[in-house]
Amino acid sequence: DIQMTQSPSSLSASVGDKVTITCRASQSIRSYLNWYQQKPGKAPNLLIYAASSLQSGVPSRFSGSGSGTDFTLTISSLQPEDFATYYCQQTYSIPTTFGQGTRLEIK
Amino acid sequence: EEQLVESGGGLVQRGGSLRLSCAASRFTFSTYWMHWVRQAPGKGLEWVANIKPDGSEKYYVDSVKGRFTVSRDNAKNSLYLQMTSLRAEDTAVYYCARARAGAMDTVDYWGQGTLVTVSS
């Protein structure tokens, strides 16, 4: 199975900050990489698919980049509603696997 | 707006069985790959199983193979997960989820989840 490793595991930031979360795959997954946001007690929400495509309805401050084994999720200017946990997911091979999550907290 | 509503969760003893259901509405259920994804308390997401729109292909994470069975009834717009030989490590919130149109594994819509607790 492909292992997905996110860094950092947790992050403190302030409203208005630019934030970058990294996801690394244990082998090349080309661009088969998604990003999800999850708030406490809620189901995840798809933000980015195919590494860099913005899901409909997701604010443009979210962006994704990368290919192969290294990927990033960037939030250009943090808003209060962005404090949540973020997961990457590879869909290159079965089983699809998720990273361990990055918890984004208010500084 | 699309809707997925899970049911069937609860408390079960180790070794027991449980059947989860997911009722889909407001989209053409029969044309989408469907998934079960779980999340143990305080932990991350783990994909469990998926099923092709016509039910002809099914895939499972290794830890549930031989114990869990995913199925669907397109006439009833419903997805199921039959769970047997349950273990303490199966304790989790189980989400029913829909893949993006034309995709297999990118989930774009999730239910609210149903909690399964396996007591030892």
Side-chain angles (χ1 to χ4, degrees), chain B residues 2 24-32 53 72 74 77 98:
Chain B
E2 300 92 335
S25 59
R26 301 173 191 160
F27 67 95
T28 308
F29 178 76
S30 62
T31 64
Y32 289 85
R72 65 192 297 162
N74 286 343
N77 291 333
R98 185 193 81 174

Side-chain angles (χ1 to χ4, degrees), chain A residues 2 13-14 17 23 28-29 31-33 38 40 44 48 51-52 62 77:
Chain A
I2 297 176
S14 301
D17 284 354
C23 179
S28 176
I29 57 170
S31 294
Y32 291 88
L33 191 283
Q38 187 179 32
I48 302 286
S52 60
F62 291 93
S77 178

Side-chain angles (χ1 to χ4, degrees), chain A residues 1 34 36 38 41-46 49 55 87 89 91 93-96 98-100, chain B residues 35 37 39 43-47 59-62 95 100 104-108 110-112:
Chain A
D1 299 359
N34 305 319
Y36 296 87
Q38 187 179 32
K42 300 294 187 182
N45 181 47
L46 178 64
Y49 63 94
Q55 172 69 357
Y87 294 93
Q89 176 207 22
T91 59
S93 69
I94 298 168
T96 179
F98 292 89
Q100 82 280 12
Chain B
H35 297 253
V37 178
Q39 187 168 36
K43 303 297 184 182
L45 301 169
E46 180 184 37
W47 172 79
Y59 301 94
Y60 301 90
V61 68
D62 281 351
Y95 293 103
R100 291 184 73 244
M104 177 180 173
D105 281 332
T106 296
V107 170
D108 69 347
W110 305 66
Q112 84 289 350

Side-chain angles (χ1 to χ4, degrees), chain A:
Chain A
D1 299 359
I2 297 176
Q3 305 303 314
M4 306 301 294
T5 304
Q6 291 180 229
S7 61
S9 294
S10 63
L11 173 62
S12 295
S14 301
V15 173
D17 284 354
K18 179 180 179 179
V19 167
T20 299
I21 298 170
T22 298
C23 179
R24 175 165 289 176
S26 60
Q27 66 182 76
S28 176
I29 57 170
R30 294 166 58 185
S31 294
Y32 291 88
L33 191 283
N34 305 319
W35 289 98
Y36 296 87
Q37 176 194 67
Q38 187 179 32
K39 297 181 179 179
K42 300 294 187 182
N45 181 47
L46 178 64
L47 300 175
I48 302 286
Y49 63 94
S52 60
S53 296
L54 191 68
Q55 172 69 357
S56 175
V58 174
S60 59
R61 63 181 179 273
F62 291 93
S63 64
S65 65
S67 66
T69 60
D70 294 314
F71 301 85
T72 59
L73 172 70
T74 300
I75 309 172
S76 60
S77 178
L78 273 174
Q79 299 302 300
E81 60 268 28
D82 299 337
F83 292 94
T85 300
Y86 293 84
Y87 294 93
C88 61
Q89 176 207 22
Q90 68 80 18
T91 59
Y92 178 76
S93 69
I94 298 168
T96 179
T97 46
F98 292 89
Q100 82 280 12
T102 294
R103 185 175 178 181
L104 179 53
E105 300 174 319
I106 300 174
K107 183 181 287 184

